Amino acid sequence: MLTDDQVQAFRSDGFAVAENFLTQSQVDDLLREADTAIEGNTLASHDAQRMEMEPDQPTDGTAVRRLYEPCTYYPVSRALSEMDKLLDSVAQLFGPDLLFHYSKLNMKPAKVGSVVEWHQDLSYYPMTNRDSLAVLFYLDDTDTTNGALKLLPKRHEAPLMQHTREGFFQGRVTEEVDEADVELAEGPAGTAIFMHGLTPHASAPNTSGTPRRTLILAYRAADAIPLFLGPMTAKHETHVRLVRGEQARQARFDGDGVSLPRYKDEVSSLYDLQKKSREGKT
Ligand SMILES: O=C(O)CCC(=O)C(=O)O
């Protein structure tokens, strides 16, 4: 469960940080599972259905950028996605009927870990309402040197920030972000960050000698129904499952219009789209 202060922080700021949400032994089990999943993969030869590699490394390099859908494919992560303590916490925020949405493990390896640019998750997958969040679990001690998450507080009830250029979705915020407002979420391994789907967030490249692995699980209210199934978001929907309460019989609408992400080209991931955007290629 979250404390009253954490629930209050989520409601007012759009995120709450819960240190020691996982024990060290849970973290160790998750890391062991991830290590086994990526073992033997290289840039030149890897299972592209299960993972994305860091592009800037030799062909025999083993730095993985992201493991796809661990809560679907691996049992320890799967059990975490249904853990009572976690679902009780999400239920405190969004009520009793909950869908698990998708998962990923962002590895941000030492020295090569890629940048993630400012974005709001709901810009990628707009829903009929805003009751959507991601829980980010730090699996390493995390601070500014290895790419701690940066967040913009109190933006989750405002209109979606601009993510387009010349009408096309860029996968990143295209208006100015005032860094003076930014909060950095540092914390030891086992920290959980409950982040609203409209909270803008980003992280710097990892220039340190230690990785910053973050396991990310997304949930939403059962009556938050996707409004747009683009190439990446349609894939996510195949991992959706009811984890608490009842399936929705009706979609619930917030009443606001929402922007639909119009893609200029095919893209393979957030990293790919944001890179094309930086290079002016999308
Ligand atoms: O890994 C990070 O720092 C942020 C991850 C993120 O925002 C994403 O994968 O959508």
Side-chain angles (χ1 to χ4, degrees):
M1 298 284 278
L2 298 175
T3 64
D4 290 347
D5 283 352
Q6 287 165 342
V7 171
Q8 184 50 34
F10 182 88
R11 296 207 192 294
S12 69
D13 296 344
F15 65 92
V17 180
E19 276 193 20
N20 302 314
F21 195 89
L22 298 181
T23 62
Q24 188 58 48
S25 131
Q26 287 174 305
V27 168
D28 291 343
D29 289 347
L30 289 161
L31 287 176
R32 210 170 301 117
E33 180 171 78
D35 285 346
T36 306
I38 65 177
E39 199 176 348
N41 288 276
T42 64
L43 179 60
S45 170
H46 62 275
D47 182 351
Q49 298 299 315
R50 291 282 186 275
M51 69 198 74
E52 178 176 341
M53 305 299 290
E54 287 289 350
D56 294 330
Q57 59 177 329
T59 51
D60 61 350
T62 56
V64 175
R65 180 143 80 176
R66 173 179 282 174
L67 194 57
Y68 299 135
E69 302 295 350
C71 296
T72 296
Y73 299 121
Y74 312 113
V76 179
S77 303
R78 173 80 174 210
L80 173 67
S81 73
E82 295 178 353
M83 185 175 79
D84 279 336
K85 179 179 176 183
L86 176 55
L87 296 183
D88 289 346
S89 303
V90 180
Q92 283 174 282
L93 305 174
F94 291 157
D97 302 319
L98 297 174
L99 296 176
F100 169 84
H101 186 175
Y102 65 85
S103 62
K104 54 195 171 185
L105 174 44
N106 287 354
M107 307 294 252
K108 230 190 247 291
K111 305 287 183 202
V112 293
S114 299
V115 64
V116 172
E117 307 227 21
W118 286 105
H119 66 283
Q120 291 164 291
D121 289 344
L122 279 168
S123 70
Y124 282 80
Y125 44 83
M127 300 278 168
T128 55
N129 65 64
R130 297 162 168 240
D131 285 355
S132 158
L133 62 68
V135 189
L136 297 92
F137 293 101
Y138 285 154
L139 303 183
D140 295 293
D141 295 344
T142 299
D143 60 24
T144 182
T145 66
N146 61 348
L149 194 72
K150 299 191 285 184
L151 304 121
L152 270 185
K154 302 192 193 302
R155 297 301 295 255
H156 59 301
E157 286 175 350
L160 189 72
M161 294 177 83
Q162 192 64 247
H163 288 69
T164 56
R165 189 164 58 204
E166 293 169 8
F168 291 109
F169 185 56
Q170 302 292 308
R172 62 183 185 136
V173 172
T174 51
E175 59 187 89
E176 203 176 321
V177 171
D178 188 349
E179 294 277 339
D181 295 338
V182 170
E183 287 194 23
L184 194 65
E186 296 179 310
T191 297
I193 304 163
F194 290 76
M195 182 183 73
H196 192 279
L198 281 170
T199 293
H201 58 287
S203 64
N206 185 356
T207 52
S208 81
T210 49
R212 192 236 57 186
R213 289 161 290 189
T214 305
L215 178 59
I216 303 176
L217 277 57
Y219 295 89
R220 64 189 203 234
D223 58 6
I225 308 298
L227 288 170
F228 173 81
L229 292 177
M232 291 185 280
T233 51
K235 237 189 257 174
H236 282 159
E237 282 306 300
T238 65
H239 299 274
V240 168
R241 59 194 143 86
L242 186 73
V243 285
R244 273 284 168 91
E246 311 260 330
Q247 289 283 5
R249 288 167 194 273
Q250 286 201 324
R252 176 167 49 92
F253 284 79
D254 276 341
D256 296 337
V258 290
S259 301
L260 301 176
R262 189 165 153 239
Y263 288 77
K264 190 169 181 186
D265 301 300
E266 232 175 77
V267 290
S268 57
S269 72
L270 168 148
Y271 300 102
D272 179 34
L273 174 58
Q274 292 187 342
K275 178 165 183 285
K276 284 196 171 106
S277 173
R278 280 196 297 277
E279 294 168 350
K281 290 186 182 155
T282 196

